[in-house]
Amino acid sequence: MLAGLLFATTDADDDPHRLVATLPFAGHTLIEFQARLLIAAGASQIAIVVARLTPELIGAINRIARRGIAVDAVRSAAEAVEKLHPLARILVLADGVISTAAVVAPLTGEGDDLLLVTTDTTQAGLERVGRDALWAGVARVRPGRLAEVAALPRDYDVQSTLLRVMAQAGVAQVPLGAGAQSAGHGVERRADRVERRSNDVLAAYASSRPAWDERYLIAPGARALLPVLARRGVSTTLVLGVAGGGIALGLLVMALGWQVAGLILVWLGIAGCAIGRALAWVRDEAVLLRASHGGTLGGAAASVMALATIASQAEGSAAAVIAGGALVILTALTERAATETSRGRWWASGAAMPLLLAPFVAIGWPLAGLLVLGGYAAITLAAAIERLREKP
């Protein structure tokens, strides 16, 4: 099993009365974001080493516990050893570290102790673990290593002592990826720098989406808009409301006879849903995260069926409606079968359908567009099924 070890002991550099762990991070606290990373990595319990229990920290711990995971506040390594499962792999995140799932995930597997290290000496707050290596704030340890720290005098700093014990034991060191810092990874102890890192994490999330349309068409605009929206505290509900209004307006424009303009408006609304999804993800708004996904797929399906109905009425045939229905079903099955990690870059995306249909409608071939995209979705579904099958 996987367990997590967090730290809430260091005071913020710009506010000595506030812990680094409780600095604001995208509407919540930094330690809540760290806990989400651990939970997403598969942690079933978390121990938090604390120096003092402030009201902000108590509130953060209670909110973490509401996610259905065991959370314990401890004051020493000995207490942490008592709380954590003796057979667990312990994923350690340093006090003030901000990271991403792409950085944390590789350290969650079975194996010996590991330290994530970097050679970048320009960033403050990193502890040295070798002549040319600095600890990047993430590690994997066995409970036995934590027990070694527990055997030492209790007045030692748990985080630094654990790091020293691991470094002296010569545990394996894994280099931090070249693009990790630009994606938001780092250790910060000031509120303004934590906010800057949160913007980097938001931008990285928008750019790391697997679907080609989100990565190449939506992400550039999202990278520019997300930091502004987050900094000004624009609510996710407002962003999704505007996106939903764009989708509704696009459908209305289609009904009035301007199908190309309507499809483009629908796609812009879907792009707005993607931006809202990024905000909901970083703010841990589960209901709005599902709403953004539903708005994306619902808007795309509605635009496809609206176009199919208009085309069928114009041609006096049900062929376009049948083709549109088949496209919606195939795309829905593909979205169901494709996961974040298994989706191929070239696979059909439900969100992109309105945009891909627009050129066919512009040249007067809506039925051909529905048929071509139906074939695209069918090939994608076949690829998704093959990827899901167990290999002998």
Side-chain angles (χ1 to χ4, degrees), residues 55-111:
E56 295 89 352
L57 182 57
I58 292 173
I61 292 174
N62 289 336
R63 288 189 293 271
I64 294 169
R66 291 192 199 123
R67 299 178 64 92
I69 187 171
V71 183
D72 295 289
V74 299
R75 295 187 179 273
S76 66
E79 290 184 26
V81 171
E82 292 177 1
K83 295 296 184 180
L84 296 173
H85 194 283
L87 299 179
R89 306 183 313 282
I90 304 173
L91 194 60
V92 181
L93 297 185
D95 203 350
V97 72
I98 301 167
S99 192
T100 63
V103 172
V104 172
L107 276 72
T108 60
E110 301 283 351

Side-chain angles (χ1 to χ4, degrees), residues 7-389:
F7 298 89
T9 58
T10 308
D11 293 328
D13 290 346
D14 53 347
D15 187 355
H17 302 292
R18 188 166 197 173
L19 294 168
V20 171
T22 60
L23 289 175
F25 188 96
H28 291 277
T29 60
L30 176 54
I31 199 167
E32 289 176 77
F33 178 74
Q34 291 177 327
R36 286 176 53 207
L37 284 176
L38 293 175
I39 294 170
S44 57
Q45 65 173 148
I46 296 175
I48 303 174
V49 180
V50 302
R52 65 182 190 275
L53 285 170
T54 65
E56 295 89 352
L57 182 57
I58 292 173
I61 292 174
N62 289 336
R63 288 189 293 271
I64 294 169
R66 291 192 199 123
R67 299 178 64 92
I69 187 171
V71 183
D72 295 289
V74 299
R75 295 187 179 273
S76 66
E79 290 184 26
V81 171
E82 292 177 1
K83 295 296 184 180
L84 296 173
H85 194 283
L87 299 179
R89 306 183 313 282
I90 304 173
L91 194 60
V92 181
L93 297 185
D95 203 350
V97 72
I98 301 167
S99 192
T100 63
V103 172
V104 172
L107 276 72
T108 60
E110 301 283 351
D112 295 330
D113 296 352
L114 292 175
L115 281 173
L116 187 69
V117 298
T118 180
T119 57
D120 183 6
T121 59
T122 61
Q123 185 179 342
L126 301 182
E127 299 186 64
R128 189 171 294 276
V129 291
R131 188 183 67 179
D132 299 318
L134 301 169
W135 186 38
V138 185
R140 183 181 71 206
V141 303
R142 293 173 287 106
R145 193 76 65 186
L146 195 58
E148 294 179 31
V149 178
L152 297 172
R154 291 190 58 174
D155 57 349
Y156 287 174
D157 177 81
V158 177
Q159 177 177 300
S160 294
T161 306
L162 176 60
L163 183 60
R164 298 276 78 79
V165 167
M166 295 181 69
Q168 291 171 9
V171 304
Q173 297 182 356
V174 178
L176 182 67
Q181 290 191 6
S182 62
H185 182 92
V187 178
E188 303 293 358
R189 295 194 171 96
R190 294 176 58 90
D192 57 339
R193 293 179 179 174
V194 168
E195 180 185 8
R196 192 178 307 128
R197 290 283 179 186
S198 71
N199 292 338
D200 292 340
V201 169
L202 267 173
Y205 175 82
S207 300
S208 64
R209 301 295 296 168
W212 63 266
D213 60 311
E214 292 191 58
R215 181 180 288 263
Y216 299 118
L217 300 180
I218 298 176
R223 283 196 300 268
L225 287 174
L226 283 169
V228 177
L229 296 174
R231 184 170 58 252
R232 296 186 177 181
V234 178
S235 72
T236 310
T237 302
L238 176 60
V239 173
L240 293 179
V242 172
I247 292 173
L249 178 61
L251 294 173
L252 177 61
V253 169
M254 291 180 68
L256 294 176
W258 297 297
Q259 283 81 37
V260 175
L263 287 169
I264 293 174
L265 282 173
V266 169
W267 183 80
L268 290 174
I270 288 173
C273 285
I275 294 173
R277 180 170 61 246
L279 286 173
W281 172 80
V282 79
R283 291 170 175 172
D284 198 20
E285 297 168 329
V287 174
L288 295 179
L289 189 63
R290 291 193 294 270
S292 66
H293 188 64
T296 297
L297 298 183
S303 65
V304 169
M305 292 312 300
L307 176 64
T309 301
I310 294 170
S312 288
Q313 291 174 347
E315 297 175 2
S317 167
V321 170
I322 295 173
L327 174 57
V328 169
I329 293 172
L330 288 170
T331 304
L333 291 173
T334 299
E335 295 290 340
R336 181 67 176 171
T339 63
E340 293 288 329
T341 56
S342 69
R343 177 185 284 274
R345 185 69 52 81
W346 61 270
W347 286 8
S349 168
M353 292 304 170
L355 188 64
L356 293 177
L357 282 170
F360 290 95
V361 178
I363 61 177
W365 294 354
L367 178 58
L370 293 170
L371 292 174
V372 169
L373 294 187
Y376 180 23
I379 294 171
T380 300
L381 179 59
I385 292 172
E386 285 300 313
R387 189 163 291 187
L388 286 173
R389 291 180 61 187

